[in-house]
Every structure is written in structure tokens, then in C-alpha cells.
Amino acid sequence: MPLNRRKFLGTSAASGVGLAVAGAVVAPSVAEAHGGRGGGGRREKRYSFTVLGTTDLHGNVFNWDYFTDKEFDDKDHNDVGLAKISTLVNEVRAEKGRRNTLLIDAGDTIQGTQLSYYYAKVDPITAKRGPVHPMAQAMNAIGYDAAALGNHEFNYGIPVLRKFEEQCDFPLLGANALDAKTRRPAFPPYFMKRLRTPHGKDVRVAVLGLTNPGIAIWDKANVQGKMVFPGLEEQAAKWVPRLRSMGADVVIVSAHSGSSGTSSYGDQLPYVENAAGLVAEQVPGIDAILVGHAHTEIPEYFVENRATGKKVVLSEPLKWGQRLTLFDFDLVWEKGRWTVEKVGAQVLNSNTAVEDRKITRLLADEHEKVVAYVNQVIGTSKAAMSTAEGPYKDVPIIDLINEVQRETVAEALKGGAFASLPVLSQASCFSRTARIPAGEVTIRDAAGLYPFENTLEARLVTGAQLKEYLEFSARYYVRTAAGAPVDAARLTNAEGIPDYNYDAVSGVTYEIDIAKPVGSRIVGLSFGGVAIDPKAEFVLAVNNYRASGGGNFPHIAGAKQVWANSEEIRNTIIGWVKAKGTIDPGQFASVDWRLTRDGAPVF
């Protein structure tokens, strides 16, 4: 049954114990019970059930790419979307018995596609008599039992998130999302459901939801002074024993946190970003963890708990609805209680399924509205531009992003104390398939350059700090000796650094010598043809993710903020194209940086 958030917060949070939330009581299914003979010829009581899990759906309902305006495809021929997940869920429920399954999610639901953006910004769900969010409609129709909060749930502000929560027929969980003043849960910490067995003894399954502490950094503008996000291990250690004391036979954690134990925000918070493995290792009493946030595929991974020696199974299904995790539990009745005898995990690939017509019909109108929206023509381009070589060359399409950001910041600073300082700009290659065609340019073309909801800021940096910033960024390249063959496909992403954590800076010129070791690669850094004075001051136009510590780049998070706004950079680009009417690369494109080896260009 739906959770009443006000009732929950008024009772459980005040008591500090929590309220057991019972799901719909289900009828027994003898077919799913496994019998056996115990000692003395007594028949053992056994029961099996399955927990299905998704994560990082990021607004994907249809198997559709709104940036290319065609069916989604990638090099591995993955498919995406809840419509395909729905078919897989229906198949599992038909096999296992609907009464013997739970369906949960590990967060990042309402941000990521133009479909989700449209109903947050263009036709917002928060408007009076506004629409129901497509993700709420789809997840309600599929029958989710619970979902953990992801960090991207906060991108559009708390009012949008609260409205989405109101529209969902299932609870959004966040045991470590606390009210900043009271330190009480701002969302339900857990969900509990009874599964009726053929033996007259219900199995009580608890799902604890944990979100990412990085929200405090990445969405500081939306949550500061309103919510705080302590570490996952700390809150799991608090809640798991409570759930056991409340009678939970099985405890599952849905964690919007990767398994690696690493953080992208360095020491800015005393918490680990990707802490799911640490939770399994440090907190006794957990049977399984649905992992999210990292956008990696982990079919089945076991972590031994240090206190008990018990192995905890972790699984992370691939993002966007490309995979569905299945946790299969086998229980046995022992000493007056249900005990987990065995649990394993696997993932199903959504490209093996057709889209569920129930879901596609439900949201056909919303889909068509968004397709029409993104195909609006907003200007023209004198030349075709692509990001295909953007990770290792200074290409015009990345220069376009930097030009929009530089112009926007320079205009905002006019007449102020920092108007005389040079404005530089950073940008990343977020997608290697983004393009601006020659001729007509649509919203989807411009938006495809910036798939994230980042906003723009301006920070004050010195020449010395800029040099260190660029050195840090240059770690992205694999060290390659002078004269050695160069394979562009293997040159980037050293140490697993993603494309979005490599920054090119415009407004200055420099070389990156990839034959040199990390930390001493930036050569000839200059401004206006003159070597940069380490004490010189610059204004750096930077996205809020980087400015708030995302990627752990040096200096920038602590640098003085001289300007910021709340408009997504994506919309700033769209507005710039509309205002200009024509995109002319000849007016902004230049080769300001290049890869070299001992002074010789790599390309």
C-alpha cells in the first residue's frame, strides 16, 4: 500500500525507530515452495522468492534516442527503456509467480533524457494542474515496490522531487537524506513487505534505501541548508539492526553508490561516494545490495562481511534500463524463523525483449510531444561539426561550447569589479557522437552537446592554479613514448578517467606532452602569445559539477565565485544559437591546444 510520507515522518522519524511498511499481503503459491526431508523424517519448510532491480534509468521509457531522433543503438547493440524492462519483469513474474517477487530501483530516475527534461522544465509537473511525470506513470504501471533516491533526483530542485514523490505509488527511500535542522529522515528510510508462504509463516523483506553523499556538493544550490547526506556505512549500521529487531527475515539494501570505494570529490566530504562494497564489508545483517550510480554492469559479486564472515551478494544492472538484475533467494525455516540459505544474482539483457505495448501506449502522447519539441529548428550552421575526435583534438564543436560560456560570463561581468580580467572557459566532450549539421540546427542538435543539467559559474583562478588544473586534466592520456605508434582508440581514458572528467580550456594556448609523466605534461602555457604569469588572475567559466568538486580537480572548488546562474548550460547554448541565427565556426574555432611528444604534434 502507498506510504503516507507525512504520517511516516510524524511518527517514525520522531521515535527514531521507523515504521514497518507492509506491502500488499499476497496469497500463497505452493508451486514456488521447495520441500525436503529433515532429520527424523520431518519435512523442511522452504520458500523461494526473487527481487528484481533496475538503476540509473535516467528518464528512459522508450528505446529511443531523442538526440538522434531514432531508435537507440550503441556499439554493443544495447537497448534502453522501461518499456523493455516491463516485458522482462512480466516474464519473470509469470515464471516465479507475481506474489513471489519484488521490484526495486537504486536511483537516478527523473533526469537524463529530453523526455524527463521536458516534464521538469518545459511542461513541468509542478505547474498548477501539471502533468504526471512519465517516469512515475511508467513505474506505477509496471508495479515498482520501492526506489532509492539518486543524486540526479535533486537536479531540478526539491519541489520537483517532492511532486514526483507524490505522483509515485511506491516510496522513494533515503535513509541518509536527512533534514538539515532536525537531522531526521527527509524521506522514508526503508520499505518492508510480507510475502506469504505456503507454510503459514510470512517472510518479512526489508529494503533499506541509501543515496549518495555527493549530493551535498553536486546540488549544493538546491539542498544547502535544507538537507544533509551522511555516509552510507554510518546510516546502514544504524538502520540494519533496527530492521532485524523489527522482524525482518531478509534485508536488502538499494544503494545509489558504486562498489569501488572511490570518490570523485576528494576530501571535500568525509564520506565515500562509491561505498556499496564497504557497506557489505562493514555492516552485518545484509543479505544483498542493489548497486547504482557507477553505470557499470556487475551481474554477481560477493563481499565478505568482516564481522560475520557471511558473503553478501552485490549486483548492478547496466544503466538506462539496459539490464535487469535478479536476486534469487532460497529460504529455510529454522529455529522458529526464516533464514536465507542461499542467494545469487544475475542480469537479463533488455535487448532480448520487445517493448511492452502497455507502457508505450500509456506514454505515446508524451513521447510525441517531446519528439516535436526537440525537432524545432532554432538556427543554421555554415559547417558540419562533430565530437568524434574531441577527446584528443581541439575541435570546433567543443570550441562552440566554450564560446557560448565565455560570452555569457563576459557579458554578465560587464561593469563589475572583475570586468577587466580575461575570461577563460572549460568544456568536456560529453558524447563522442554529438554533431551539429551544416544547414538547419534543431534543439536536439544543440542539446546533444550537453546531455547533463549542469549550470554555469565563474571562478577566480591564478596562472599557477590554472597550470595545475590543466596538469590534472592531462592525466586522461595514456603515456606514449616519442616514436611509439599511436592508436587514438587507446590513447584516452587512462586510469579509467571518463571523458567528462577531461577538460579543455579555451582562451589560452598550450601543449600536452603525452611522452612525459603525469604532472609535467603542460608545455608553453600562454595567454595572448605571452607565457602566463603564475600570479596573473583569470575568470574561468566552469560548470557547477566541476566548480562544486566533481572530478576532484585542484583549486576550483575553493576558488572565489564571481558569478553564477541557475539556467542549464544546454539551454544557454540553445538560446545563443537562437539569438545568433547562424553558427559560423570561422568566428570562434581555433586550435588552442594540441597533443605533442618532445615538441612534435601527435596529430
Side-chain angles (χ1 to χ4, degrees), residues 286-339:
I286 299 169
D287 296 296
I289 300 180
L290 177 66
V291 179
H293 182 62
H295 289 201
T296 58
E297 182 175 345
I298 306 174
E300 182 182 61
Y301 174 56
F302 288 95
V303 174
E304 184 175 299
N305 184 268
R306 290 190 310 208
T308 65
K310 176 184 173 181
K311 290 186 177 180
V312 182
V313 64
L314 282 66
S315 180
E316 180 176 4
L318 202 57
K319 64 185 184 300
W320 305 347
Q322 294 179 20
R323 303 289 187 274
L324 175 70
T325 279
L326 271 64
F327 291 108
D328 291 310
F329 288 85
D330 293 332
L331 278 62
V332 62
W333 182 263
E334 291 180 337
K335 300 178 180 178
R337 57 166 295 178
W338 287 107
T339 301

Side-chain angles (χ1 to χ4, degrees), residues 76-418:
D76 297 317
H77 302 297
N78 288 303
D79 288 345
V80 300
L82 276 170
K84 292 222 165 196
I85 289 295
S86 182
T87 297
L88 293 177
V89 169
N90 290 339
E91 290 172 354
V92 174
R93 285 170 172 167
E95 176 190 350
K96 308 285 187 179
R98 172 69 182 258
R99 301 178 176 96
N100 305 305
T101 63
L102 289 175
L103 175 59
I104 62 175
D105 183 80
D108 276 6
T109 303
I110 60 172
Q111 174 277 337
T113 64
Q114 286 293 286
L115 180 70
S116 54
Y117 174 81
Y118 187 89
Y119 289 98
K121 290 290 189 177
V122 181
D123 185 12
I125 60 174
T126 49
K128 187 177 182 180
R129 298 177 184 172
V132 177
H133 199 289
M135 294 302 287
Q137 291 190 59
M139 295 173 82
N140 289 343
I142 296 169
Y144 274 77
D145 291 286
L149 293 164
N151 54 284
H152 284 288
E153 260 65 85
F154 294 84
N155 285 173
Y156 297 117
I158 292 174
V160 170
L161 174 54
R162 287 301 191 195
K163 188 64 178 179
F164 175 69
E165 179 187 28
E166 179 185 313
Q167 293 177 342
C168 291
D169 294 339
F170 52 90
L172 302 181
L173 308 178
N176 61 328
L178 309 181
D179 181 275
K181 294 180 180 178
T182 67
R183 291 303 198 267
R184 294 174 177 172
F187 295 85
Y190 65 88
F191 166 85
M192 193 178 289
K193 186 169 183 176
R194 290 176 180 265
L195 299 179
R196 186 167 295 168
T197 76
H199 308 293
K201 303 291 185 181
D202 293 349
V203 172
R204 286 166 290 193
V205 182
V207 179
L208 179 68
L210 296 169
T211 192
N212 207 288
I215 295 167
I217 290 177
W218 305 320
D219 268 300
K220 181 179 179 180
N222 290 328
V223 301
Q224 187 174 34
K226 300 173 184 176
M227 293 184 193
V228 294
F229 304 88
L232 282 83
E233 309 99 305
E234 168 193 320
Q235 294 300 302
K238 172 182 176 180
W239 283 101
V240 171
R242 293 186 183 187
L243 295 174
R244 289 293 185 182
S245 69
M246 288 158 44
D249 301 298
V250 179
V251 173
I252 301 159
V253 173
S254 183
H256 192 75
S257 180
S259 63
S260 64
T262 61
S263 287
S264 68
Y265 46 72
D267 59 359
Q268 295 176 71
L269 283 177
Y271 311 120
V272 177
E273 176 182 352
N274 296 302
L278 298 176
V279 171
E281 182 183 78
Q282 297 177 16
V283 182
I286 299 169
D287 296 296
I289 300 180
L290 177 66
V291 179
H293 182 62
H295 289 201
T296 58
E297 182 175 345
I298 306 174
E300 182 182 61
Y301 174 56
F302 288 95
V303 174
E304 184 175 299
N305 184 268
R306 290 190 310 208
T308 65
K310 176 184 173 181
K311 290 186 177 180
V312 182
V313 64
L314 282 66
S315 180
E316 180 176 4
L318 202 57
K319 64 185 184 300
W320 305 347
Q322 294 179 20
R323 303 289 187 274
L324 175 70
T325 279
L326 271 64
F327 291 108
D328 291 310
F329 288 85
D330 293 332
L331 278 62
V332 62
W333 182 263
E334 291 180 337
K335 300 178 180 178
R337 57 166 295 178
W338 287 107
T339 301
V340 176
E341 186 176 56
K342 179 183 177 184
V343 56
Q346 60 177 307
V347 294
L348 303 182
N349 194 329
S350 66
N351 70 12
T352 65
V354 297
E355 290 187 315
D356 185 346
R357 292 187 63 193
K358 172 185 173 183
I359 304 302
T360 57
R361 283 197 300 263
L362 176 68
L363 293 165
D365 290 345
E366 287 84 347
H367 175 67
E368 290 172 7
K369 283 182 182 179
V370 175
V371 168
Y373 164 74
V374 300
N375 280 292
Q376 293 178 40
V377 175
I378 56 173
T380 59
S381 178
K382 288 189 174 182
M385 296 178 284
S386 167
T387 56
E389 297 180 323
Y392 48 88
K393 289 184 180 180
D394 187 348
V395 295
I397 199 167
I398 303 299
D399 290 341
L400 172 59
I401 298 174
N402 275 324
E403 177 66 10
V404 172
Q405 295 181 163
R406 188 197 64 75
E407 281 191 20
T408 301
V409 169
E411 181 65 27
L413 296 180
K414 278 185 178 178
F418 304 96

Side-chain angles (χ1 to χ4, degrees), residues 20-32:
V21 182
V25 178
V26 296
S29 176
V30 178
E32 280 70 39

